[in-house]
Amino acid sequence: MQATAQLIRDEAALFLGRRPTDEEMEWALPRAQKKLAWIIEREGDADGVRQQPWYLGKLVEEAIVEEKFSQYTRSIL
């Protein structure tokens, strides 16, 4: 699992343009895994495409961006 977790972090870094922090990975990875399970249950795994580390890395990136945007909007209100 360690190698896979590192691959997922590396893929998320490519999408983010920076390395995700340990704290971000701690909360974003479970959220991304839950979303991935929901997608696969609903839409299937697209012949294994959704099982690739880059796909979960993209979902991790999305979770981080969503959370950062949410924090920003809460701070300006």
Side-chain angles (χ1 to χ4, degrees):
M1 180 61 182
Q2 183 65 28
T4 303
Q6 187 61 49
L7 282 172
I8 293 164
R9 181 186 289 259
D10 292 346
E11 294 293 339
L14 291 173
F15 291 116
L16 279 170
R18 66 171 176 80
R19 196 129 184 90
T21 66
D22 290 342
E23 182 181 278
E24 288 171 331
M25 287 300 293
E26 249 181 65
W27 57 260
L29 184 57
R31 180 184 282 179
Q33 289 169 323
K34 184 177 179 180
K35 184 174 183 178
L36 178 60
W38 179 83
I39 291 168
I40 290 173
E41 181 180 314
R42 184 177 169 151
E43 305 292 333
D45 74 355
D47 294 325
V49 171
R50 292 185 178 113
Q51 299 291 346
Q52 299 297 315
W54 70 264
Y55 197 92
L56 192 51
K58 180 62 178 168
L59 295 179
V60 166
E61 178 260 347
E62 288 177 3
I64 291 170
V65 169
E66 289 169 4
E67 180 60 24
K68 293 296 181 185
F69 184 73
S70 180
Q71 289 174 0
Y72 171 73
T73 57
R74 285 191 304 262
S75 73
I76 61 172
L77 296 178

